[in-house]
Structure formats: structure tokens, C-alpha cells
Amino acid sequence: MGRPKIKNIDSAIDLDKVELPKEEESSVEVESNEPTKETKKTKAKAKTEKVEKKNKASERYLKLIKEVDKSKSYPIKEAVELVKKTSSTKFDSTIEAHINVQIDSSKGDQHIRTTSTLPHGNGKKVTVIVFGAKNAKAIKDAGALVGDEDTLEQIEKGKINFEKVVATPEWMPKLAKVAKVLGPKGLMPNPKSGTVSTEPEKTVSELSSGLVEIKTETSPIIHVSVGKASFKEKDLEENVESLLEAVKAAKPAELKKELIKSVYLTSTMGPSVKVDLSNPS
């Protein structure tokens, strides 16, 4: 039986009169990528708080900087007093000395690298690891770590849990294989920094009692921590004086002009204070 033929248009179905089944509304909610009003309010509030916090920090700094006459250089005693006065952080701020030296940084033999023991330490606890110590117990008793072959493997993997590396001369060839890891971080032992030693126990003791490394890198500037804001003024003064003496003693022989160009003292998040080198005391 074949499909009946439509004889004329009147016998065709009027599709406008046919009721088609209604599609059921989906109960699945489509997530929108558009931020809701609440999300927008939260982000706006966070942004406002961030701006307010930044403004408060700026206001604090602007208030502190008024205490310092930028056109003036101060004797060490006055500079220390100002740095302590303008240190207003909730934590014990670090006091740093920034020393500009007049060397040609493009010449390797003019770079400065030496050490100095600050008479009152710098208040910073340094984690030291020692390679080649004969008396491992003495090293551990001094609060330092003892390195071995397994430690080298950990270093190669990028696992570093120390801030200073001390090694005996015999261990230097072994450390050479991790030089590409330690070198860029400034951790490779060096005779000039006192970290290559035949008496590592003594070196660890010195590092714990205020031995600091003094060095220039790509720019002719030396940055050294000289103590904490909680230090007595006299102790900070003596630390700064000791540091400047060590820098002067490291002056390259071929350098005819004065080595130190300028010195600034500053606390964490505080304004810098220029030191009068012509009248240091």
C-alpha cells in the first residue's frame, strides 16, 4: 500500500493547527562566567583595603622622612640615632650600611671581597653547613649542619636549607660539582670570604659571633647588615666604625683615589641617612 497522494492543497495538514509537544524545561543550571554582584563587591572591597594600606604605609614613610634632612650628612652617632628613631616597624628592623665605593666594577682585580667581625654581631642567626669537619660533634654543638656526599646529591636537586657554606680545602674539588647551584646564590665557599678553612670549627664560631662578608658584585656598592633597631646606639656605632675600617683596609693597591665615596644607614622600610665621612664621630 503506497503513500496516499495529496489531491489538492485543501487536503494537506494545516501545520498551524497541529499542537506539537512542549519541550520540558531543563533543570540544569548553566554556570555563568560573569562575576556576581557579591563577587564584584568583594573584589572592590579588597582593592580599597589594599589602596588604604598602601596609603597608610606611604603616610608613615612621609612622616618619617621629614625627620631626616636629605641635604645634610650626619656624624655616625647622629646617623645611628636617626635610623633608630625612624625605625617604626612592628618587628625588630635590620639596620644596614650601604657603602658606595669608587672602583671600576668592570675590572675584576678592583672588586672587594673580605670579611670583618663586628664587635657586637649583627643580630642575625645564620644557618651554616660544614663540609670536611673532623669533629662533627663540635660542629653540631655549635648549631651548624654537617655536610656529606648525600648532601651534595640533595644540593644538586636544589634542596638548600642553609645560608652559609664552610669547607676544608680537601672538600673543594667535591663541591665543584654543585658550584652551578651554589655559585649563583653566593654560597660557594671562597678563601677571601673565610669560608674555605682548615679550622671549620673556628669559622663557624666566628660566623655565629658576627663575622660578615664584605663584597662588591656587579655594581660598586657594598651592602652589610650592622645590627638591629633594638641594639644600643653605642653598639651600632662601633659596628659601623669597624665595618668602615675593614672596607678601607681592603682598598685595591692600584686605586689612587679615596675608596669610599658615600655611606648611608637605613632600617627596614625606613628612610636612609647619609653619614658624614669627614666627621665620622
Side-chain angles (χ1 to χ4, degrees):
M1 183 176 177
R3 181 178 178 183
K5 295 181 180 180
I6 298 174
K7 294 181 179 179
N8 55 56
I9 195 68
D10 295 329
S11 63
I13 298 174
D14 188 347
L15 293 178
D16 291 334
K17 296 180 180 179
V18 176
E19 293 187 4
L20 297 175
K22 295 182 179 180
E23 291 185 5
E24 294 184 5
E25 293 183 1
S26 175
S27 61
V28 179
E29 293 183 3
V30 180
E31 292 187 4
S32 173
N33 290 327
E34 292 296 322
T36 63
K37 289 183 178 179
E38 289 300 319
T39 304
K40 288 180 179 179
K41 286 181 180 178
T42 302
K43 287 184 177 180
K45 184 180 178 182
K47 188 175 181 180
T48 302
E49 289 176 350
K50 188 176 181 181
V51 171
E52 288 177 352
K53 188 176 180 181
K54 186 176 180 181
N55 288 340
K56 284 182 180 178
S58 299
E59 287 172 12
R60 180 189 66 82
Y61 184 81
L62 290 172
K63 185 178 179 180
L64 292 174
I65 206 170
K66 290 178 181 178
E67 300 282 346
V68 182
D69 184 349
K70 289 295 181 181
S71 65
K72 180 181 176 181
S73 297
Y74 297 85
I76 291 177
K77 185 177 186 301
E78 291 181 35
V80 166
E81 289 174 357
L82 267 176
V83 167
K84 280 177 64 68
K85 183 179 179 181
T86 55
S87 175
S88 65
T89 56
K90 294 180 180 179
F91 55 89
D92 194 5
S93 299
T94 296
I95 307 297
E96 286 190 343
H98 300 270
I99 306 170
N100 296 293
V101 290
Q102 299 189 93
I103 62 168
D104 185 347
S105 55
S106 65
K107 295 180 179 179
D109 58 354
Q110 286 195 21
H111 280 256
I112 295 170
R113 188 162 191 177
T114 185
T115 59
S116 175
T117 301
L118 302 180
H120 304 286
N122 63 1
K124 184 180 179 182
K125 183 175 174 58
V126 180
T127 303
V128 183
I129 189 167
V130 178
F131 291 92
K134 293 179 181 179
N135 191 342
K137 184 178 182 303
I139 295 297
K140 290 179 180 178
D141 289 346
L145 305 173
V146 176
D148 53 24
E149 298 284 355
D150 290 337
T151 309
L152 294 182
E153 292 182 9
Q154 295 300 312
I155 293 173
E156 282 186 300
K157 294 176 183 177
K159 295 181 179 179
I160 295 174
N161 61 341
F162 46 81
E163 296 160 286
K164 287 284 182 182
V165 181
V166 175
T168 58
E170 296 79 17
W171 256 83
M172 288 305 291
K174 294 181 182 180
L175 284 171
K177 71 175 186 177
V178 292
K180 61 183 179 182
V181 179
L182 298 179
K185 298 180 181 295
L187 295 174
M188 195 66 184
N190 189 298
K192 290 183 178 180
S193 66
T195 48
V196 175
S197 172
T198 55
E199 299 178 283
E201 296 86 359
K202 181 181 177 182
T203 303
V204 169
S205 177
E206 290 175 341
L207 286 169
S208 301
S209 61
L211 183 71
V212 293
E213 187 174 1
I214 302 167
K215 65 177 181 178
T216 51
E217 296 179 359
T218 54
S219 59
I221 302 175
I222 297 170
H223 305 280
V224 179
S225 169
V226 293
K228 295 285 186 177
S230 59
F231 278 27
K232 294 178 181 178
E233 290 177 3
K234 186 64 177 175
D235 291 349
L236 285 170
E237 288 173 41
E238 291 178 359
N239 277 357
V240 173
E241 289 167 355
S242 177
L243 172 64
L244 295 180
E245 287 302 315
V247 173
K248 290 174 184 177
K251 179 180 177 179
E254 66 276 13
L255 194 67
K256 303 304 178 184
K257 54 189 174 183
E258 196 69 33
L259 175 62
I260 299 176
K261 182 180 181 181
S262 62
V263 177
Y264 290 84
L265 298 183
T266 183
S267 65
T268 307
M269 297 171 67
S272 61
V273 181
K274 189 175 183 180
V275 176
D276 184 358
L277 297 174
S278 63
N279 182 25
S281 59

